[in-house]
Amino acid sequence: MTETDKDIETLNRLFGEARADYQALRHHAVPPPLTVVPQAKPRPVHRVLAIAAGVAALGVTGLVLLSLNQPDTPPGHRLIAAPQAMPDAPSGRPQFTGSPRPTLSFSRMTFDFTLPQRPDGSSG
Amino acid sequence: MNAAPPSDADWGLMARAAQDQLALSQLYDRHRHYVFRLAWGILGEDAAADDVVQEVFLRLHDGRLKAQPRAKFTTWLYGVVINVAREQARKRRRFWGAAQADEVLSTHADEQADPARLDRLRDLGRALATLPIRQREVVLLRFLEGFDTAETAEILGCRQGTVKAHLHRATRKLQTEFQSPPALTHKETTQ
């Protein structure tokens, strides 16, 4: 006897009578009318249009989200302004060759340590 | 064996059901009781089981179902019933309860029926209510409807080993909870 046979036997012992009652269970004595209402299926063209509209809506949403999350300029170019952005700025490198070289003069500073005289004429 | 009328003529009726209202009515008369009681066993409500009966025969009519004439008609039809009942269960999001068991039999049972019979059916309903839906389907098909393991597996679209495992778990659970005779259990609970 297999495990399944034992299970069936157990169920039969528990619900054997109820099984016969279940099998005697019937639908309504007077059958309710079978109401067959033809349902209008969506036409293929409408289905294709609906799918296309859905895909388009998803695409637009994705583009909007992408543009909102994107920085204005690429990070590598942010610190260097394009020449077009500064039309008044001189173009090219500054020329220093013709200008005189600036010279710095250092003179030793002197300090005067003479103390002012007191009213009684003494100092220190 | 399952008590549904075995007939090759069912496939012939099925082939004509989409256009021929009479063929559909004949199928309805032959199988509505079996469709109803299986749906009743899964859903536990007479109204829900009625809905399943309507939906199943509507699908037979509108040609949405892919028939497999090589299979036994009842095996194929019960697979349809199981699927529709599952959909119905998902919509309602509730299964058996003790309240429904009483309600079902008060509406569909013969008023002059043996009260002991109604008690036994109510107890069976309560027992089914304690099982997860897969185990309930296996108990319904394998034990109550009398399909063998291979047919049950074909109806449920699973392997035979799965059917055996579900049946074993369900039996152990029912044995634990309903060791005493069902009728006695019900009388004890009503006192």
Side-chain angles (χ1 to χ4, degrees):
Chain A
M1 179 178 270
T2 64
E3 198 68 36
T4 302
D5 292 336
K6 287 181 192 168
D7 290 335
I8 294 290
E9 194 178 282
T10 305
L11 288 173
N12 215 19
R13 200 175 63 245
L14 289 172
F15 302 108
E17 282 183 293
R19 180 178 187 244
D21 297 327
Y22 168 85
Q23 289 183 344
L25 201 59
R26 289 288 177 268
H27 196 206
H28 299 273
V30 179
L34 190 59
T35 49
V36 178
V37 181
Q39 293 178 338
K41 289 183 184 174
R43 294 175 61 189
V45 174
H46 293 169
R47 206 176 298 167
V48 168
L49 283 177
I51 291 169
V55 169
L58 276 175
V60 168
T61 310
L63 284 176
V64 168
L65 286 175
L66 200 65
S67 65
L68 285 178
N69 286 333
Q70 209 166 28
D72 294 338
T73 53
H77 296 265
R78 183 174 286 174
L79 298 177
I80 303 172
Q84 295 85 353
M86 296 186 295
D88 298 334
S91 63
R93 295 176 65 123
Q95 298 293 322
F96 293 111
T97 50
S99 58
R101 188 183 183 89
T103 54
L104 296 176
S105 65
F106 294 98
S107 58
R108 185 180 292 268
M109 294 178 71
T110 57
F111 296 96
D112 186 5
F113 289 102
T114 19
L115 295 172
Q117 285 189 340
R118 287 183 178 143
D120 58 354
S122 65
S123 63
Chain B
M1 241 2 246
N2 174 258
S7 171
D8 294 336
D10 286 329
W11 283 120
L13 291 172
M14 172 67 200
R16 300 202 313 271
Q19 282 87 28
D20 186 355
Q21 188 82 27
L22 184 64
L24 183 67
S25 297
Q26 284 178 336
L27 273 180
Y28 179 64
D29 288 337
R30 290 164 74 94
H31 295 282
R32 65 187 176 94
H33 298 299
Y34 311 109
V35 172
F36 170 77
R37 77 182 182 203
L38 182 60
W40 180 89
I42 294 170
L43 295 163
E45 284 185 76
D46 59 343
D50 270 342
D51 288 347
V52 170
V53 174
Q54 286 283 329
E55 181 64 23
V56 165
F57 286 97
L58 180 64
R59 289 188 188 187
L60 294 187
H61 174 70
D62 70 9
R64 270 185 287 169
L65 299 171
K66 288 181 181 174
Q68 298 169 323
R70 281 179 297 176
K72 195 173 155 188
F73 182 78
T74 47
T75 307
W76 176 80
L77 182 65
Y78 275 48
V80 175
V81 177
I82 292 277
N83 284 334
V84 174
R86 283 178 189 166
E87 286 172 20
Q88 192 77 9
R90 273 198 294 274
K91 281 181 194 167
R92 298 188 174 225
R93 294 196 183 281
R94 63 195 168 105
F95 297 123
W96 269 97
Q100 279 92 3
D102 291 333
E103 188 186 335
V104 166
L105 294 170
S106 65
T107 50
H108 274 194
D110 182 3
E111 289 178 1
Q112 296 174 345
D114 179 11
R117 173 179 169 260
L118 296 184
D119 277 346
R120 285 193 300 269
L121 273 172
R122 288 191 182 104
D123 287 327
L124 177 67
R126 289 191 183 91
L128 289 173
T130 64
L131 298 175
I133 189 159
R134 302 288 171 186
Q135 293 179 18
R136 194 183 314 167
E137 288 167 359
V138 167
V139 170
L140 275 163
L141 293 169
R142 182 72 181 83
F143 171 63
L144 293 170
E145 290 291 341
F147 287 106
D148 62 27
T149 304
E151 286 172 322
T152 305
E154 191 182 342
I155 291 170
L156 294 176
C158 64
R159 302 169 83 170
Q160 293 189 31
T162 310
V163 170
K164 290 176 186 173
H166 279 318
L167 185 72
H168 188 61
R169 286 192 204 115
T171 306
R172 279 198 307 184
K173 186 175 173 64
L174 293 174
Q175 197 174 15
T176 309
E177 296 191 15
F178 297 89
Q179 194 62 256
S180 53
L184 183 63
T185 308
H186 177 62
K187 280 175 191 169
E188 282 173 354
T189 54
T190 53
Q191 279 174 359

